[in-house]
Amino acid sequence: MTLINENYANLQSSYLFANIARKVAEFQKSHPDADIIRLGIGDVTRPLAPAVIEAMHKAVDEMGHEETFRGYGPEQGYEFLRQAVVDHDYKPLGINIDIDEVFISDGAKSDVGNIQELFSADNIIAITDPVYPVYLDSNVMGGRSGKFKGDRFENIVYLPTNAENNFSPEFPDRRVDIVYLCCPNNPTGTVLSRKRLKEWVDWCKANETVLMFDSAYEAFISSEDTVHSIYEIEGAREVAIEFRSFSKTAGFTGTRCAYTAVPKELTVNTADGQKQALNPMWNRRQCTKFNGVPYIIQRAAEAVYSEDGHRQTREAIAYYKENARIIREGLTAIGLTVFGGVDAPYIWLKVPAGMTSWDFFDLLLEKVNIVSTPGAGFGPCGEGYLRLTSFGSRENTLRAIERIKTLKF
């Protein structure tokens, strides 16, 4: 008799963004003439940089000639891209990373979900609340959550982040084996200070806890009092796995390329008390289950680090950051309390008094035809907040703010 993985039955509702898509589709069906502005899902709208397109065209041409054709590539990524990552993302920060500690993949989301396969189902997980849903849901699928009771999973340790604690979570009040931090944060758009991240690294070392550090939005950082890589912090190589992405940095949401850094010093315990390095385990996992990112895409990602590619992708980031400023200042001007939008493409705002986050989502959709993301979809502490993204066009960003200004709260 074939049995299912019953952990899937513990997942709550459908994936957040699938729920939003369903609600928007239903609204559009009943209001076919509605001019909907989408500031919900964090998907980019600016085209790929010319240097990236040029590199892709060149790589496509190579695939058409016998002498330059490429078949299966290395599962860990081609050396040319891994070396570019080391030379441009780490060396300028004074960080020593070997290329065999860098693993190219098809997305940070994939890696964040897949990395949990390396760990026992008995491990205790800590997540910030609100949280990017993949951290939680992938561990529910892996059997670490226990049952859903009230508004939380019984075996997950939740670390509240809100305006009251300046969106900086306290340390867990009990033993945890793995903790997830995202900086710049999705969904709140805030960052943790360098000092606080040092405290987190020290805490993880003292408690033999693995730190999953999601740095997908690093390119948006403006503040000096934070880090561009967790490995800027002394001791982080012993405790932290870092996830990085080309999706928001270079507009690769539809092109798919990212990487994960797994230092060789990072070890975890076996059942008999031995130490096991995670780097060779992740390498084996990737070699077994992943055939690598296409050569054409990796050449495109390499072009991001060229002089022209860097300049052009930074121009796109500046465009989105200006959108974030417009949203942040526009909402503040009408009396809404707003967070984020400085070091990240996300604006996290308090909903008007007397409304839930889904109430405000519905209001924006139905009254001014704007798609947002309700904070409750990111966890219990997301209730009372709502996320907007700066990834729309400039025209739509300006139009959206003008529409919101017409509402009476």
Side-chain angles (χ1 to χ4, degrees):
M1 181 174 64
T2 304
L3 299 176
I4 65 167
N5 177 354
E6 295 194 9
N7 295 313
Y8 276 66
N10 291 325
L11 291 167
Q12 296 303 294
S13 187
S14 62
Y15 188 57
L16 168 62
F17 298 108
N19 270 344
I20 292 172
R22 176 185 55 79
K23 289 176 73 76
V24 173
E26 291 173 353
F27 177 81
Q28 198 156 35
K29 184 177 180 180
S30 59
H31 301 80
D33 296 327
D35 177 20
I36 294 176
I37 298 176
R38 299 174 185 271
L39 299 181
I41 191 169
D43 195 5
V44 296
T45 55
R46 304 298 294 167
L48 294 172
V52 170
I53 294 297
E54 181 181 351
M56 290 180 73
H57 280 301
K58 182 179 178 181
V60 168
D61 289 340
E62 290 180 33
M63 298 297 281
H65 300 278
E66 185 174 352
E67 62 273 18
T68 53
F69 172 78
R70 305 287 183 121
Y72 288 124
E75 293 90 347
Q76 306 86 352
Y78 284 99
E79 185 172 326
F80 63 77
L81 180 53
R82 299 166 88 190
Q83 191 64 57
V85 167
V86 169
D87 291 344
H88 295 276
D89 285 345
Y90 289 112
K91 282 186 179 179
L93 299 174
I95 298 168
N96 293 317
I97 291 279
D98 295 331
I99 66 168
D100 60 356
E101 295 175 311
V102 174
F103 297 83
I104 308 301
S105 75
D106 61 354
K109 179 180 179 180
S110 301
D111 285 354
V112 167
N114 292 330
I115 198 79
Q116 54 90 17
E117 293 182 21
L118 305 188
F119 300 92
S120 166
D122 295 328
N123 282 326
I124 302 300
I125 308 299
I127 58 171
T128 55
D129 177 16
V131 70
Y132 179 48
V134 175
Y135 308 159
L136 175 62
D137 288 353
S138 61
N139 280 289
V140 174
M141 295 171 180
R144 298 182 186 87
S145 65
K147 298 297 183 181
F148 191 75
K149 295 184 176 180
D151 60 358
R152 290 172 170 82
F153 286 95
E154 59 184 347
N155 293 339
I156 298 292
V157 177
Y158 292 79
L159 309 176
T161 61
N162 48 46
E164 287 67 37
N165 63 12
N166 199 31
F167 299 98
S168 179
E170 297 297 327
F171 297 128
D173 59 5
R174 62 187 177 100
R175 167 73 197 171
V176 301
D177 302 294
I178 300 170
V179 62
Y180 290 78
L181 293 180
C182 180
C183 182
N185 186 262
N186 179 14
T188 67
T190 60
V191 294
L192 295 172
S193 70
R194 182 180 296 268
K195 177 177 181 294
R196 186 55 176 161
L197 288 169
K198 177 64 166 67
E199 292 170 349
W200 268 105
V201 167
D202 291 345
W203 185 90
C204 288
K205 289 180 65 176
N207 290 275
E208 295 189 335
T209 298
V210 173
L211 171 59
M212 302 290 191
F213 192 76
D214 187 348
S215 187
Y217 301 95
E218 171 274 334
F220 289 82
I221 293 174
S222 298
S223 302
E224 295 183 0
D225 187 27
T226 190
V227 301
H228 288 265
S229 167
I230 193 61
Y231 304 123
E232 293 181 56
I233 305 295
E234 182 181 358
R237 287 180 56 90
E238 300 169 39
V239 297
I241 297 172
E242 181 164 88
F243 305 92
R244 299 281 286 270
S245 174
F246 294 96
S247 286
K248 309 305 170 25
T249 302
F252 275 48
T253 55
T255 311
R256 309 310 304 150
C257 195
Y259 66 86
T260 292
V262 186
K264 296 169 188 171
E265 294 95 321
L266 177 53
T267 62
V268 295
N269 297 308
T270 63
D272 61 0
Q274 302 298 309
K275 293 293 185 181
Q276 170 64 54
L278 286 180
N279 180 282
M281 288 182 66
W282 183 241
N283 184 64
R284 177 56 188 272
R285 190 269 171 203
Q286 294 298 82
C287 289
T288 301
K289 293 190 173 185
F290 184 56
N291 269 340
V293 175
Y295 171 74
I296 295 166
I297 301 302
Q298 292 195 54
R299 281 298 187 192
E302 179 192 30
V304 172
Y305 295 109
S306 68
E307 182 177 350
D308 285 343
H310 178 73
R311 174 179 53 80
Q312 292 160 2
T313 54
R314 294 305 305 183
E315 288 172 355
I317 290 168
Y319 181 95
Y320 294 132
K321 286 174 70 69
E322 175 63 10
N323 282 352
R325 183 197 66 78
I326 291 168
I327 296 171
R328 188 178 68 249
E329 294 182 1
L331 297 177
T332 300
I334 59 174
L336 291 172
T337 302
V338 179
F339 308 93
V342 175
D343 299 296
Y346 298 119
I347 294 84
W348 189 244
L349 61 105
K350 280 191 173 182
V351 305
M355 302 183 73
T356 68
S357 58
W358 278 106
D359 287 340
F360 198 44
F361 170 91
D362 290 337
L363 177 68
L364 291 179
L365 179 60
E366 294 169 6
K367 299 298 183 182
V368 291
N369 304 157
I370 293 171
V371 178
S372 59
T373 308
F378 296 103
C381 288
E383 183 53 79
Y385 294 90
L386 185 127
R387 192 191 76 174
L388 295 174
T389 85
S390 65
F391 287 124
S393 68
R394 180 64 44 75
E395 178 187 3
N396 280 346
T397 298
L398 291 166
R399 291 170 62 221
I401 292 303
E402 291 306 310
R403 290 185 188 183
I404 294 174
K405 288 179 178 179
T406 68
L407 296 173
K408 303 298 181 183
F409 305 127

